[in-house]
Amino acid sequence: MSSIERQSRLQNKLMQYQQRLDTDDEQSVLIEGRLTRMVGLTLEAVGFQVPIGSRCEIIGKGQKPIEAEVVGFSGETTFLMPTGDMRGLVPNAKVRPVRSDSQVPVGEAMLGRVVDGAGKPLDGKGPLRVHDRVPLHGEPVNPLARSPIRQHLDVGVQSINALLSIGRGQRMGLFAGSGVGKSVLLGMMTRFTEADVIVVGLIGERGREVKEFIEDILGEQGMARSVVVASPADHSPLMRLHGAMLATSIAEYFRDKGQQVLLLMDSLTRFAQAQREIALAIGEPPATKGYPPSVFSLLPQLVERAGNGAVDGGAITAIYTVLTEGDDQQDPVADAARAILDGHIVLSRQLAESGHYPAIDVEASISRVMPHIVSEEHLKQAQQFKQIYSTYRQNQDLISVGAYSKGSDPAIDESIAMFPALRQLLRQGMNEAVNWQQSDQRLKQVLELRNQLQNQQQNVAQTPMLMDGNTRRF
């Protein structure tokens, strides 16, 4: 081969190599880097440049590759967060970028299955045979393309149906501390709600609770139409983030097929805490009670993915649990969630300790879409119920110690007479389902009692009484 031919071949190879470097398709050349530092959960690598969210494999000496995700960079240093156990890593380990389009496999075959934050089966029923793929982080929805919330959703809990009506496509928050019946209420809504598909995201909770929720709360009937995404507290913060996003992506998939989806996520607080761990690990400064600003920008990105789809299409009705540390309703995550959700149901520790279940504090709870999904008569009755109940609760201490004298205030007298009926509407057994029509009828019956009491008071006021032998009217 002549020197001219060798030079020509070399030039062609150099041109082909340059084209591969310049292109963005699957044939792009991936350059390996090396691991330079590990502090806490953060890995630092140099020698390559990849976008945020890309996946990499870290290859140690004789160790199985460890998967990590790019979460930040500074100059030539790339910050990575592992998705699993980091044991076995060594200095200068190879870091190899992996082609990943951040899409996850989904399909009808996921119904009845339990998967982790990466979409891998946990139930031992074999691999998932699904072929469709959707973005893990979702696509922004044009707010003008969403259909409005105009139809109520029957959740099978009479106090919610009657007083805090939930609409199809609504995003509702369930605010509660620990040990007040949050999981039981979620289980009731899972079993009793009218929905085609139920997606449950168990994010950052105790591993023991995952199996208990599936076997004791969901049961075979509920599991048949459900997909459970479990990323317990012992998983890495990155996997907890991905678990919440995966659950939302699965719900979006079924919504876009025109189905009515119920998304239950327990909990939104653990999702925020996972993002806090990642952000603080890569050096983002804390802002409010240790939470960096990225937490409060990520929350609406997740929540806004739920809701109604196009007109006459499917809908995702989402229930997010929010843990209130020490029953503090002004917790930063609780405060931020309250602002971006379409309503909130607050569970009261005081009610739970008195044996009142579900321990819903109707005074502190609200459904912002209720005026648009119920009749004016229903809305008026719910407001009257809350007024009477609130009157009793505000004066409960005086009534309990006997400091209140009957007849001092007609409104308090009315609340005392009606309180047993009010409390009966708010209580419900965990295995008792009360549909929308029954809830509406029971609310009417409670307020009919009010009308009967008012009629009795009028009759008493008009009854002639004997005084000093003479009949006088008062």
Side-chain angles (χ1 to χ4, degrees):
M1 184 182 295
S2 66
S3 60
I4 297 177
E5 291 176 342
R6 286 197 297 268
Q7 185 177 4
S8 177
R9 289 185 63 181
L10 180 60
Q11 288 178 346
N12 289 335
K13 288 184 178 181
L14 287 174
M15 290 178 62
Q16 293 174 3
Y17 183 72
Q18 185 62 47
Q19 290 175 355
R20 292 174 65 189
L21 289 176
D22 294 338
T23 186
D24 290 330
D25 62 15
E26 294 295 328
Q27 303 299 322
S28 297
V29 174
L30 299 178
I31 302 175
E32 289 184 353
R34 60 186 179 86
L35 187 65
T36 59
R37 190 167 183 257
M38 181 180 74
V39 178
L41 296 174
T42 309
L43 306 176
E44 297 182 10
V46 296
F48 64 100
Q49 295 179 355
V50 291
I52 296 292
S54 298
R55 292 295 182 92
C56 298
E57 284 185 346
I58 305 173
I59 306 171
K61 294 182 179 179
Q63 298 290 334
K64 183 179 179 181
I66 296 174
E67 192 176 68
E69 182 175 309
V70 178
V71 294
F73 56 84
S74 176
E76 298 297 324
T77 302
T78 301
F79 299 124
L80 303 103
M81 188 71 63
T83 60
D85 192 359
M86 295 188 296
R87 286 178 294 183
L89 288 180
V90 296
N92 296 317
K94 292 182 180 180
V95 182
R96 180 182 300 164
V98 179
R99 283 295 165 193
S100 174
D101 52 4
S102 296
Q103 291 196 336
V104 291
V106 294
E108 297 283 346
M110 298 190 78
L111 292 175
R113 300 299 300 271
V114 183
V115 298
D116 64 7
K120 299 177 181 177
L122 293 175
D123 50 14
K125 297 181 180 179
L128 288 171
R129 302 186 183 279
V130 292
H131 306 288
D132 296 329
R133 299 183 72 85
V134 296
L136 177 64
H137 298 276
E139 296 292 341
V141 180
N142 186 342
L144 298 182
R146 292 184 185 269
S147 59
I149 301 174
R150 293 292 182 266
Q151 186 179 1
H152 66 77
L153 178 70
D154 185 359
V155 298
V157 182
Q158 62 183 2
S159 55
I160 297 177
N161 282 342
L163 307 173
L164 304 165
S165 304
I166 296 177
R168 291 190 182 275
Q170 183 175 355
R171 287 83 55 95
M172 201 76 167
L174 185 59
F175 291 68
S178 58
V180 294
K182 166 177 57 67
S183 297
V184 175
L185 180 58
L186 274 181
M188 292 172 64
M189 298 173 70
T190 303
R191 295 193 305 272
F192 304 150
T193 298
E194 293 181 346
D196 300 322
V197 176
I198 298 172
V199 181
V200 181
L202 301 176
I203 310 301
E205 296 300 316
R206 292 180 289 271
R208 172 185 60 82
E209 293 182 341
V210 175
K211 189 171 184 178
E212 289 182 358
F213 187 90
I214 294 171
E215 295 183 353
D216 301 337
I217 297 179
L218 266 180
E220 293 184 5
Q221 179 181 359
M223 194 63 201
R225 55 175 179 153
S226 302
V227 182
V228 177
V229 180
S231 188
D234 59 344
H235 284 199
S236 71
L238 192 62
M239 291 303 294
R240 280 177 265 149
L241 279 185
H242 287 179
M245 294 176 181
L246 175 61
T248 307
S249 295
I250 295 171
E252 288 175 323
Y253 169 79
F254 287 106
R255 177 191 64 187
D256 294 342
K257 293 175 70 69
Q259 294 181 299
Q260 299 297 326
V261 183
L262 176 65
L263 171 63
L264 301 174
M265 190 168 296
D266 185 14
S267 70
L268 194 64
T269 304
R270 305 299 188 202
F271 172 80
Q273 290 173 348
Q275 174 61 20
R276 177 176 65 179
E277 291 180 42
I278 295 173
L280 293 178
I282 63 175
E284 185 177 353
T288 306
K289 289 190 176 180
Y291 287 96
S294 62
V295 171
F296 303 104
S297 65
L298 195 61
L299 284 175
Q301 292 178 27
L302 179 72
V303 171
E304 283 296 324
R305 294 171 61 182
N308 283 336
V311 178
D312 298 328
I316 300 175
T317 306
I319 309 293
Y320 299 95
T321 66
V322 180
L323 301 177
T324 51
E325 298 178 3
D327 297 327
D328 179 16
Q329 298 297 324
Q330 305 307 317
D331 177 80
V333 175
D335 197 42
R338 193 181 297 109
I340 60 179
L341 294 171
D342 302 322
H344 49 272
I345 299 172
V346 178
L347 299 188
S348 166
R349 185 172 301 277
Q350 182 182 4
L351 290 175
E353 290 174 347
S354 65
H356 181 119
Y357 290 102
I360 297 176
D361 186 349
V362 295
E363 294 178 277
S365 306
I366 189 173
S367 172
R368 293 192 178 99
V369 305
M370 186 173 177
H372 306 294
I373 60 175
V374 300
S375 63
E376 292 186 7
E377 180 186 8
H378 186 153
L379 183 62
K380 183 179 179 181
Q381 291 172 345
Q383 291 172 343
Q384 291 175 349
F385 182 102
K386 289 183 178 181
Q387 290 170 358
I388 300 169
Y389 183 78
S390 180
T391 299
Y392 183 89
R393 295 283 295 176
Q394 292 172 6
N395 297 276
Q396 188 171 8
D397 292 340
L398 292 176
I399 298 170
S400 300
V401 301
Y404 174 74
S405 300
K406 185 177 180 180
S408 301
D409 188 333
I412 298 178
D413 292 340
E414 179 184 65
S415 68
I416 294 174
M418 291 188 62
F419 185 72
L422 301 178
R423 183 172 53 188
Q424 186 64 30
L425 181 69
L426 297 176
R427 286 181 168 178
Q428 184 175 335
M430 63 178 293
N431 296 316
E432 176 189 2
V434 182
N435 62 32
W436 177 271
Q437 291 75 18
Q438 292 173 324
S439 303
D440 186 40
Q441 185 62 34
R442 293 181 184 183
L443 177 61
K444 290 179 180 179
Q445 292 174 354
V446 170
L447 294 176
E448 285 176 0
L449 175 61
R450 182 190 191 191
N451 296 331
Q452 295 174 6
L453 292 173
Q454 291 177 345
N455 292 334
Q456 291 176 4
Q457 291 175 355
Q458 292 177 358
N459 293 334
V460 170
Q462 296 174 359
T463 300
M465 299 181 61
L466 292 178
M467 264 185 92
D468 298 331
N470 298 318
T471 301
R472 300 183 182 179
R473 289 188 179 273
F474 292 88

